[in-house]
Amino acid sequence: DVDFESNSFDSVSVRVASEMEGGTLELRLNSKEGKLLGEIAIPNTGGKDKWQTVNVPVNVKEDGVKDLVLVFKGEPKGQNLFYVNWITFITPNSETSKSQ
């Protein structure tokens, strides 16, 4: 859950690892078809234990506590596209709110 009422976010940082190029992570509200907050192209980091932090701007105008849904997209289906270690929402004044 992310509390949008007491926080204003302008970007998201995601710690990821991948053995292949081409996966995409969508950040959505409340369901896999919910409002799209941001979309992140996941790079090939060189392995599932080689972590990189990827940043994406988000345009969030929401109130209250919402469910954050991560949608993993890419080919080949049925395999591990990439791994997510953590997600951090960045506020305009550089404070963070981590969601795991």
Side-chain angles (χ1 to χ4, degrees):
D1 292 341
V2 179
D3 184 358
F4 292 99
E5 190 163 337
S6 61
N7 294 295
S8 172
F9 305 109
D10 60 3
S11 65
V12 175
S13 293
V14 182
R15 188 83 166 154
V16 297
S18 179
E19 298 173 299
M20 62 183 79
E21 195 95 27
T24 302
L25 178 64
E26 293 181 349
L27 306 173
R28 293 188 173 268
L29 289 182
N30 298 323
S31 75
K32 66 181 184 175
E33 294 88 20
K35 179 179 178 180
L36 181 64
L37 298 180
E39 188 173 49
I40 303 166
I42 306 299
N44 180 341
T45 65
K48 63 183 181 181
D49 59 349
K50 305 288 186 194
W51 297 96
Q52 285 184 11
T53 302
V54 181
N55 299 303
V56 63
V58 294
N59 185 10
V60 180
K61 303 239 187 310
E62 293 293 325
D63 290 323
V65 176
K66 309 283 185 192
D67 289 332
L68 177 66
V69 178
L70 307 180
V71 180
F72 292 66
K73 291 190 170 183
E75 297 291 336
K77 301 216 182 290
Q79 295 186 11
N80 293 331
L81 294 171
F82 50 88
Y83 304 87
V84 175
N85 186 301
W86 51 255
I87 298 172
T88 300
F89 284 81
I90 310 297
T91 62
N93 62 0
S94 297
E95 293 178 20
T96 60
S97 175
K98 191 175 280 190
S99 178
Q100 297 183 1

